[in-house]
Amino acid sequence: AQTVTQSQPEMSVQEAETVTLSCTYDTSESDYYLFWYKQPPSRQMILVIRQEAYKQQNATENRFSVNFQKAAKSFSLKISDSQLGDAAMYFCAYRSGNSGYALNFGKGTSLLVTP
Amino acid sequence: GAVVSQHPSRVICKSGTSVKIECRSLDFQATTMFWYRQFPKKSLMLMATSNEGSKATYEQGVEKDKFLINHASLTLSTLTVTSAHPEDSSFYICSARDHGGTSGRASYEQYFGPGTRLTVT
């Protein structure tokens, strides 16, 4: 079974600064997808960014970018120019490319943004 | 587009009763839906995969007779918590996979509902 590890239960960043959230995963598969989801206090899950394992280029969505290191099985999320609205729980998730479409989530990182 | 609704958003029920939670894909067809459970300050744990027109696939440790899942149409899956007990109190979230046939969107996208908070007294 694939495991997703987020080793930072909580992180804090000042507004306008940059923060990196860590995620590592364990898999023997070669075809898979990785995701970062944001869960604000409303608890609605919001897709932040996704990465296909076969793509070498790191995904980027505006202020959000990832550092995907396939050999190291690492998938960190960088948030640039942090905003107060970025405060939330962030979950790293894995999805197999071979069987089913269910997501396997890490334990999450609570991000606090201070003015 | 790509909206998933859940009803109710909150429900309180007495111990021993059953409660049904609905998950609907509003603007796309979903052959597959997923049910997750989330405890306070915890991650989402997959309970079961719901496939339209067939039996749900439950994760290890999830009682299929307690958590009944029905996926009778391409836009609706229901989760019924039978004979609820206080330990069933939790936040239940569904997601729906857009199979891409009607919307043209990538079939690997999953869209989450807003969740249902169940409290069993």
Side-chain angles (χ1 to χ4, degrees):
Chain A
Q2 297 81 20
T3 57
V4 179
T5 302
Q6 292 180 251
S7 58
Q8 305 155 316
E10 293 182 352
M11 290 286 283
S12 181
V13 63
Q14 269 196 316
E15 212 175 350
E17 297 297 308
T18 295
V19 65
T20 298
L21 308 184
S22 301
C23 173
T24 59
Y25 60 94
D26 185 25
T27 185
S28 58
E29 298 179 327
S30 58
D31 182 19
Y32 54 88
Y33 301 84
L34 296 165
F35 305 83
W36 278 97
Y37 280 89
K38 171 184 178 181
Q39 188 180 42
S42 69
R43 305 194 77 170
Q44 172 72 58
M45 296 292 284
I46 301 167
L47 177 64
V48 175
I49 201 165
R50 67 172 174 263
Q51 175 81 42
E52 293 89 341
Y54 64 84
K55 289 187 178 179
Q56 293 186 342
Q57 187 172 9
N58 290 324
T60 299
E61 288 287 343
N62 300 314
R63 298 182 296 107
F64 300 88
S65 62
V66 298
N67 183 4
F68 175 45
Q69 301 290 325
K70 191 171 184 179
K73 296 180 182 173
S74 170
F75 182 62
S76 60
L77 174 70
K78 185 172 82 171
I79 306 174
S80 303
D81 186 26
S82 297
Q83 301 174 359
L84 294 177
D86 294 334
M89 280 291 291
Y90 286 82
F91 293 99
C92 179
Y94 173 102
R95 181 179 87 74
S96 170
N98 299 318
S99 59
Y101 290 83
L103 295 168
N104 188 4
F105 289 91
K107 291 187 175 181
T109 297
S110 177
L111 179 65
L112 175 66
V113 182
T114 57
Chain B
V3 179
V4 176
S5 70
Q6 275 184 249
H7 178 79
S9 57
R10 289 174 179 266
V11 58
I12 301 172
C13 69
K14 290 185 184 290
S15 188
T17 62
S18 296
V19 61
K20 180 186 287 188
I21 303 169
E22 294 185 346
C23 177
R24 293 182 185 271
S25 54
L26 299 185
D27 55 353
F28 65 97
Q29 293 181 336
T31 54
T32 305
M33 291 184 176
F34 304 93
W35 288 96
Y36 297 86
R37 183 173 181 176
Q38 185 179 31
F39 289 104
K41 299 186 185 295
K42 297 291 186 183
S43 187
L44 283 73
M45 299 298 296
L46 178 68
M47 298 175 65
T49 301
S50 168
N51 295 297
E52 186 266 336
S54 64
K55 289 184 178 180
T57 303
Y58 291 82
E59 296 299 299
Q60 194 171 14
V62 178
E63 299 176 60
K64 55 184 70 176
D65 292 332
K66 180 167 189 62
F67 298 99
L68 300 179
I69 291 172
N70 184 280
H71 193 157
S73 78
L74 284 172
T75 59
L76 174 65
S77 175
T78 60
L79 168 67
T80 301
V81 183
T82 62
S83 186
H85 290 285
E87 57 264 31
D88 298 325
S89 298
S90 190
F91 193 68
Y92 293 87
I93 305 175
C94 74
S95 70
R97 175 184 158 232
D98 183 352
H99 83 300
T102 51
S103 69
R105 286 186 290 262
S107 63
Y108 54 74
E109 285 285 5
Q110 272 188 48
Y111 302 95
F112 284 85
T116 296
R117 178 175 300 285
L118 170 63
T119 303
V120 185
T121 60

